[in-house]
Amino acid sequence: MSNKTSVSSASGYLLLPFSDVREFQILHFVAFLLLYLGIVSGNLLIITAIALDHHLHSPMYLFLMNLAIQDAGLVSIFIPKSMANSLMNTRYISYSGCVAQVFLYLFFTASNFSLLTVMAYDRYVAICSLLEYELIMNRGACLQIIAIVWITGFLYSVLHTSGTFAITFCSNIVNQFFCEIPQLLKLACSDLYLIEMGVLVFSIFMCLGCFIVVTYVHIFTAVRRIRSVQGRKKALSTCLPHLIVFSTFVSTASFAYLRPSSDNPSHLDIAITIMYSVVPPLLNPVIYSMRNKEIKNTVRRLLGF
């Protein structure tokens, strides 16, 4: 058993290829390249716009800038490696590279989830305690919250990365196009991986998810008390982008992680993985910029329009 583990650690892992046909490999490279450039450029535009325009240095935009940083970092973990493998017609990733992918993927995902939770609380304070908003969400408090978000993501990632790679693996063939914990746990030689998988799913979808749901229950309760129709629409419009982003992230990830898994990967499995790992970072800049005049005006000035 120890020999198998040492061999796996020394020889690395074999990832799931998109296709064995060379033409399709080139097509995958081009498609992922366009996706990657679109995601990174869109999020960098938001980061630059918020950083350069002092009118956008409010709590909501500071949180949005960190969300864009997380989205750009998330796709940079696995898309470049997947493109390189397709271009060079290989499936290989080193052991250290696999550990780095798992650690960084968990780091950005957990930080993303924590930040979405904080953004829900920010909307709650803005709607339910408007007169005290500037006192509660002052600049010092926002910077502390952002620091806690990143530290929480780091600690969460350290915990689950160490827990995953402490398990003995009996194979080095990963049925996914990047190193992902559920697929790695399928390589375990015992049922101990079920504990790690259970803690992973519970911590994300119950602890943080329930907090956001409870927060929005309070928000909708407060909105119902607003007498004017215009006031209710304005209050809900400030929550709509966050709700869309959160719903997209949770619905795609829940479908991927909670559905029955199969030992034989299919094109549907790859499509679902792309849905929850690539689509949210792609849609986030569009959702927030399309519904925000300040960001649209700043981006137009940056682009010279």
Side-chain angles (χ1 to χ4, degrees):
M1 195 73 69
S2 59
N3 290 336
K4 290 184 180 180
T5 304
S6 61
V7 169
S8 175
S9 302
S11 60
Y13 297 91
L14 296 178
L15 301 175
L16 181 68
F18 276 81
S19 175
D20 294 326
V21 180
R22 187 57 182 160
E23 289 76 12
F24 287 142
Q25 291 175 347
I26 299 299
L27 180 62
H28 159 248
F29 171 80
V30 174
F32 260 37
L33 177 62
L34 294 176
L35 272 175
Y36 183 68
L37 292 177
I39 293 171
V40 172
S41 60
N43 283 286
L44 284 179
L45 271 177
I46 288 183
I47 295 169
T48 306
I50 296 174
L52 296 182
D53 192 342
H54 67 278
H55 295 101
L56 300 180
H57 289 180
S58 62
M60 182 180 71
Y61 294 111
L62 288 177
F63 296 146
L64 179 57
M65 182 173 69
N66 279 268
L67 183 66
I69 293 172
Q70 292 168 359
D71 287 339
L74 183 65
V75 296
S76 298
I77 297 167
F78 56 88
I79 288 185
K81 177 61 178 177
S82 182
M83 290 192 303
N85 280 359
S86 290
L87 190 63
M88 295 184 294
N89 192 21
T90 182
R91 303 172 53 186
Y92 177 77
I93 184 172
S94 65
Y95 178 81
S96 59
C98 189
V99 173
Q101 275 195 346
V102 170
F103 175 81
L104 292 173
Y105 186 82
L106 284 174
F107 173 58
F108 284 115
T109 302
S111 300
N112 197 296
F113 217 126
S114 299
L115 188 60
L116 289 175
T117 305
V118 170
M119 293 172 74
Y121 176 73
D122 174 71
R123 293 300 85 204
Y124 168 77
V125 175
I127 293 174
C128 301
S129 305
L130 180 58
L131 297 179
E132 300 176 354
Y133 179 78
E134 293 186 1
L135 179 63
I136 298 174
M137 302 300 293
N138 59 73
R139 184 173 180 83
C142 289
L143 293 178
Q144 289 178 1
I145 290 173
I146 291 171
I148 291 173
V149 164
W150 289 102
I151 293 172
T152 301
F154 176 80
L155 295 177
Y156 184 88
S157 180
V158 169
L159 173 66
H160 286 290
T161 303
S162 57
T164 298
F165 287 95
I167 297 172
T168 303
F169 295 143
C170 292
S171 173
N172 67 338
I173 300 176
V174 182
N175 288 327
Q176 188 57 274
F177 64 91
F178 68 98
C179 286
E180 186 185 34
I181 284 186
Q183 296 300 329
L184 287 171
L185 293 180
K186 288 182 179 180
L187 309 180
C189 298
S190 66
D191 292 336
L192 292 177
Y193 76 94
L194 294 174
I195 299 175
E196 172 65 21
M197 190 64 187
V199 172
L200 183 71
V201 173
F202 177 82
S203 59
I204 292 179
F205 294 106
M206 293 299 294
C207 299
L208 294 176
C210 285
F211 182 84
I212 295 179
V213 171
V214 171
T215 300
Y216 269 104
V217 168
H218 287 288
I219 289 175
F220 291 141
T221 303
V223 169
R224 288 182 62 185
R225 297 195 190 104
I226 300 175
R227 295 183 178 181
S228 66
V229 176
Q230 190 66 26
R232 287 197 295 268
K233 287 183 178 180
K234 184 177 180 180
L236 289 175
S237 66
T238 63
C239 302
L240 188 58
H242 178 268
L243 271 175
I244 295 174
V245 169
F246 173 72
S247 300
T248 303
F249 181 82
V250 171
S251 59
T252 54
S254 299
F255 182 73
Y257 279 81
L258 300 181
R259 72 189 183 93
S261 60
S262 60
D263 295 329
N264 297 319
S266 63
H267 294 294
L268 177 61
D269 296 319
I270 296 177
I272 292 172
T273 303
I274 293 175
M275 279 293 295
Y276 73 80
S277 60
V278 176
V279 172
L282 179 65
L283 291 182
N284 289 356
V286 178
I287 292 170
Y288 277 104
S289 61
M290 289 296 290
R291 295 192 55 85
N292 194 293
K293 292 181 180 179
E294 289 81 4
I295 290 183
K296 283 195 291 186
N297 292 335
T298 303
V299 169
R300 284 170 183 164
R301 288 197 298 270
L302 286 174
L303 299 177
F305 295 147

